Amino acid sequence: RIFLHPSRRQSIVESHISNIIIAMLSTNSDSDFVTVDMPSENDVGPAAAAVIADMNEPLEQNNDSNNGNDEESALASHRQRSLLKTLWSEATSTTDLPPPVKDHRLHHRRTTTTTKSSPNSSKYTRKGLNNNGTTDISPSKQQRRSGGGRHQANRYRVTRGARIAKRVWLAAFAAFAASFLIAIHVFLYRVFSGSSNDDNNSGNGAFGSSMMKNGMPILAMEDAQVKMTLDEAHSHKLTPINLHAIDTSQYTIRINTWHRNEQLLLSINHHAKCDGVKEIQVIWCDADNDPPEDVVHHVSGKVKIEKHAINSLNERFKVLLDTPTLGILSLDDDVLRPCVALDAAFVRWTRHPERMVGFDARTHVVEEANDNVDNGDNGDNGNNGNKPNWKYGYMSTTESTNRYSMTLPRASFLHRDYLDLYTMALPRPIYTYVAQNLECEDIAMSFLVSSLTNGKPPLIADYWAVKSMVKLYSEKKISGGKEHKSTRDACVNNFAALLGLKEDGEWPLQSGKLIHRDQFFGYGAEPEDWASVEPDTLQQKQSSHLQDVIRRMQELQTSSSSEEQMTWYARGKAETMREAKSVGMIENTEEWAERWGDKGVGTTSS
């Protein structure tokens, strides 16, 4: 059977049958058979070929002519009917097709193979050539010639699609395996690098770097290294505040809080009433608890929660939410001041946006080096030999010397860019120490800004604004203790050296005079002369409430008596503490004594 496809074979056989029927219908002979051109043995299958060969054999001679003619006619008719049956079976049979060629190669081109040949021929012959040297048509070529190529092509297409799908699945599995291995690698790196850093820096004093503490992360991976040097930070130009009116008319409050929800809510309730406050961002580092609903959905609509995954005092200066203004008021959750005090300090900041404007002045004390005193110096900051040591001066020391050199960010205005510079450029020994010890972030920020302003001290708000502070009561004291003073002494001494603020540094820290002749307004370096401030200047003309503040300051400074000034001051402070006092959160008041009894204790001033 040389016809590979049933439809092809059937059409050829049917044509032969049609020729026989047409010949029978067209003849006028009365004989039982007709003469037609039958297909050769090469055109039909083996069964039909056997019948044709039998028909071509000569009949045996019979002496009886009559009997011979009858027998010959009957035999011819029988053979013709047998041929028709055989041809019809050939046309309709599909059970004996040749098996398909099992060739799963992606390309149809056949390769050269070697077979054994006859002894008379060469040892090896190319497949497709017989021993006589004539071309032997391969099954694939024969199938394509006979119409079987479509069937075989379908087989190749299915096989190729299956291979492509298999490769896609393998690639996907490889990508997943690679991602899984990378995740494991990063996890192991974090674990072992944190452990190795603890081991390597165990003898380097308090200023060694570590990423883990008590099994908890204290430093984000992206903050482990500085992103710019201190010299690059010095060359950074602050974003101008006069590009948008909002930057000279309103400011953003960033409140740092920790487990003091009542104090936080009282602070938000008060500050949300201030016209100068554009937005209040709460730095929430407590991963185990959610902020109170009264804070999240505050009625003022000014509050946003900035959630941090790491509990570190560095996070108060790491901005995750975009701030709507360039002016930032950094606050603790237990400090209140009248809105007019904040607005007046903000006006002072807009006139000196490169400086910090704070409410809490502190100083540093220089002492001769004493080898018997442990100041936390590890010897890596250049403070060797007989060079003087710096110590932290509390408020009592600051007022007695009437000099100051730093301010505390628990209540201070500063430029938005300084928050980014703290995270990106602050020397990592300082940054890591703050993260490990939950201390001294206020000293670090004050010293950083002084370093970036060539050693200038921060500016301080007016004296009346400083003294208008209302402190909310808290049972648990965050700062204080026997080691608090020695810790801050070490921070001042080492931070100043690392930031180039010491006497032999590149930007020696300057101190400013604290109290001036005008004891109601004059306070700190470069005290504000409100008479020289024009309420209708371009910077403030977009904000009517700030114009009112400027006019009120001018009136108090030039026209009011001391008694009028103190009356106005007392009235504003009483209004500020009204809500807190009513719930017993102002220490040494009747409401506080009724609520807390003898639980209240004094705090160590920082």
Side-chain angles (χ1 to χ4, degrees):
R1 307 196 189 307
I2 64 173
F3 304 111
L4 299 181
H5 200 279
S7 61
R8 171 72 172 166
R9 183 178 60 207
Q10 181 175 350
S11 61
I12 295 177
V13 175
E14 286 177 353
S15 65
H16 293 308
I17 297 175
S18 300
N19 292 336
I20 296 173
I21 296 174
I22 291 172
M24 293 176 63
L25 294 175
S26 60
T27 182
N28 294 326
S29 174
D30 294 331
S31 61
D32 295 331
F33 60 93
V34 295
T35 302
V36 295
D37 294 330
M38 299 302 297
S40 65
E41 296 179 18
N42 294 330
D43 296 331
V44 296
V51 178
I52 294 174
D54 188 32
M55 291 176 62
N56 292 334
E57 292 179 1
L59 297 175
E60 296 180 359
Q61 297 293 328
N62 196 318
N63 294 329
D64 191 350
S65 59
N66 292 332
N67 294 336
N69 292 334
D70 294 339
E71 292 178 359
E72 182 178 6
S73 176
L75 181 60
S77 299
H78 175 72
R79 288 180 175 177
Q80 194 171 42
R81 285 191 297 272
S82 298
L83 177 60
L84 290 174
K85 292 180 180 181
T86 303
L87 291 176
W88 181 256
S89 298
E90 289 280 340
T92 58
S93 175
T94 59
T95 59
D96 52 355
L97 292 174
V101 179
K102 295 183 179 180
D103 190 351
H104 298 292
R105 290 171 297 177
L106 189 61
H107 300 287
H108 299 291
R109 182 177 297 173
R110 295 189 175 276
T111 58
T112 302
T113 60
T114 57
T115 57
K116 278 190 176 182
S117 61
S118 64
N120 297 331
S121 63
S122 61
K123 187 176 181 180
Y124 297 100
T125 60
R126 183 183 299 273
K127 187 175 181 179
L129 297 178
N130 56 25
N131 291 335
N132 296 329
T134 61
T135 302
D136 185 11
I137 299 176
S138 63
S140 61
K141 292 182 180 180
Q142 185 175 359
Q143 290 169 7
R144 287 195 295 271
R145 289 180 180 178
S146 62
R150 293 190 301 272
H151 181 69
Q152 194 70 11
N154 289 332
R155 286 181 50 80
Y156 280 117
R157 282 195 294 269
V158 172
T159 303
R160 186 173 184 180
R163 284 180 171 272
I164 292 174
K166 182 178 180 180
R167 291 177 181 177
V168 170
W169 280 107
L170 289 175
F173 177 77
F176 172 78
S179 302
F180 181 72
L181 291 176
I182 291 173
I184 293 179
H185 177 76
V186 172
F187 173 77
L188 294 177
Y189 172 78
R190 290 180 177 179
V191 173
F192 288 110
S193 63
S195 301
S196 62
N197 284 339
D198 288 340
D199 296 337
N200 295 336
N201 295 303
S202 58
N204 291 337
F207 291 90
S209 62
S210 175
M211 299 175 62
M212 305 288 292
K213 184 178 181 180
N214 298 327
M216 297 296 293
I218 61 173
L219 195 65
M221 290 289 294
E222 64 270 16
D223 298 331
Q225 301 294 330
V226 294
K227 298 179 177 61
M228 66 168 59
T229 64
L230 200 57
D231 290 333
E232 292 173 340
H234 272 269
S235 62
H236 174 77
K237 301 296 183 183
L238 297 178
T239 306
I241 67 170
N242 56 0
L243 299 180
H244 305 283
I246 192 175
D247 292 325
T248 57
S249 60
Q250 288 184 297
Y251 47 91
T252 301
I253 293 181
R254 288 177 59 85
I255 299 181
N256 192 51
T257 186
W258 179 255
H259 290 181
R260 297 195 295 202
N261 292 344
E262 185 176 4
Q263 290 86 342
L264 174 63
L265 185 58
L266 288 172
S267 177
I268 292 176
N269 289 342
H270 168 68
H271 292 109
K273 300 174 184 177
C274 300
D275 294 333
V277 176
K278 175 63 177 179
E279 186 172 284
I280 301 175
Q281 297 182 348
V282 178
I283 296 93
W284 190 267
C285 298
D286 187 0
D288 297 329
N289 299 286
D290 293 328
E293 287 297 319
D294 292 342
V295 173
V296 176
H297 305 289
H298 196 263
V299 294
S300 66
K302 294 184 177 182
V303 179
K304 289 188 177 180
I305 307 298
E306 185 180 272
K307 291 187 176 182
H308 293 249
I310 295 177
N311 179 26
S312 168
L313 289 176
N314 289 320
E315 299 297 302
R316 74 181 301 170
F317 303 128
K318 185 176 182 179
V319 179
L320 302 182
L321 298 177
D322 189 24
T323 60
T325 65
L326 292 176
I328 304 297
L329 175 58
S330 177
L331 280 181
D332 282 357
D333 56 6
D334 60 343
V335 175
L336 306 180
R337 279 188 171 86
C339 295
V340 65
L342 301 179
D343 291 342
F346 174 68
V347 173
R348 181 161 166 75
W349 175 81
T350 60
R351 293 165 62 81
H352 310 277
E354 77 285 356
R355 308 278 288 277
M356 286 183 70
V357 177
F359 293 85
D360 301 283
R362 298 293 184 270
T363 189
H364 70 281
V365 179
V366 181
E367 289 185 352
E368 293 299 327
N370 187 348
D371 294 338
N372 295 326
V373 177
D374 181 13
N375 59 4
D377 186 14
N378 59 13
D380 296 333
N381 54 14
N383 190 25
N384 297 323
N386 294 323
K387 293 183 178 181
N389 294 326
W390 285 20
K391 291 188 175 182
Y392 180 79
Y394 284 110
M395 188 61 195
S396 57
T397 304
T398 304
E399 290 181 340
S400 64
T401 60
N402 200 28
R403 306 293 298 183
Y404 80 101
S405 56
M406 67 185 83
T407 189
L408 305 181
R410 71 176 184 179
S412 61
F413 283 94
L414 71 165
H415 197 287
R416 163 70 170 79
D417 289 0
Y418 284 135
L419 302 181
D420 291 334
L421 292 174
Y422 180 97
T423 303
M424 298 172 63
L426 187 70
R428 291 305 96 167
I430 301 177
Y431 198 90
T432 306
Y433 178 83
V434 173
Q436 288 178 324
N437 297 275
L438 292 175
E439 280 277 6
C440 300
E441 90 291 350
D442 48 359
I443 298 174
M445 175 58 85
S446 182
F447 276 5
L448 175 64
V449 177
S450 291
S451 175
L452 298 179
T453 54
N454 300 321
K456 293 181 181 180
L459 300 179
I460 306 299
D462 291 330
Y463 184 77
W464 70 267
V466 171
K467 296 303 180 180
S468 66
M469 182 184 72
V470 175
K471 194 77 160 63
L472 300 178
Y473 173 73
S474 178
E475 289 186 273
K476 297 180 180 180
K477 310 303 177 184
I478 295 179
S479 62
K482 296 180 179 180
E483 298 181 356
H484 182 67
K485 177 64 165 64
S486 61
T487 299
R488 294 183 77 81
D489 288 344
C491 290
V492 169
N493 189 62
N494 290 281
F495 291 5
L498 290 169
L499 292 169
L501 294 175
K502 286 200 168 183
E503 295 83 353
D504 57 349
E506 191 172 355
W507 310 282
L509 181 61
Q510 307 167 24
S511 62
K513 185 178 179 180
L514 184 61
I515 302 176
H516 297 265
R517 184 174 58 182
D518 186 351
Q519 296 186 2
F520 192 81
F521 283 94
Y523 203 64
E526 305 174 28
E528 198 68 52
D529 182 11
W530 288 102
S532 64
V533 181
E534 293 292 338
D536 298 327
T537 56
L538 177 63
Q539 288 82 359
Q540 270 80 38
K541 73 176 185 179
Q542 299 293 335
S543 177
S544 60
H545 78 275
L546 289 183
Q547 295 178 8
D548 295 338
V549 169
I550 295 173
R551 293 189 180 96
R552 185 56 175 163
M553 294 300 103
Q554 292 174 344
E555 181 182 350
L556 288 171
Q557 190 175 32
T558 59
S559 304
S560 301
S561 63
S562 298
E563 183 178 355
E564 291 175 339
Q565 291 174 345
M566 294 306 298
T567 301
W568 174 83
Y569 159 80
R571 185 169 58 249
K573 187 172 182 178
E575 179 63 27
T576 301
M577 70 170 64
R578 176 179 298 177
E579 181 182 5
K581 181 175 179 290
S582 65
V583 294
M585 293 299 291
I586 304 300
E587 197 170 359
N588 298 326
T589 63
E590 294 181 1
E591 294 82 358
W592 172 83
E594 182 180 352
R595 176 176 177 180
W596 303 102
D598 296 333
K599 293 182 179 180
V601 294
T603 61
T604 300
S605 176
S606 60

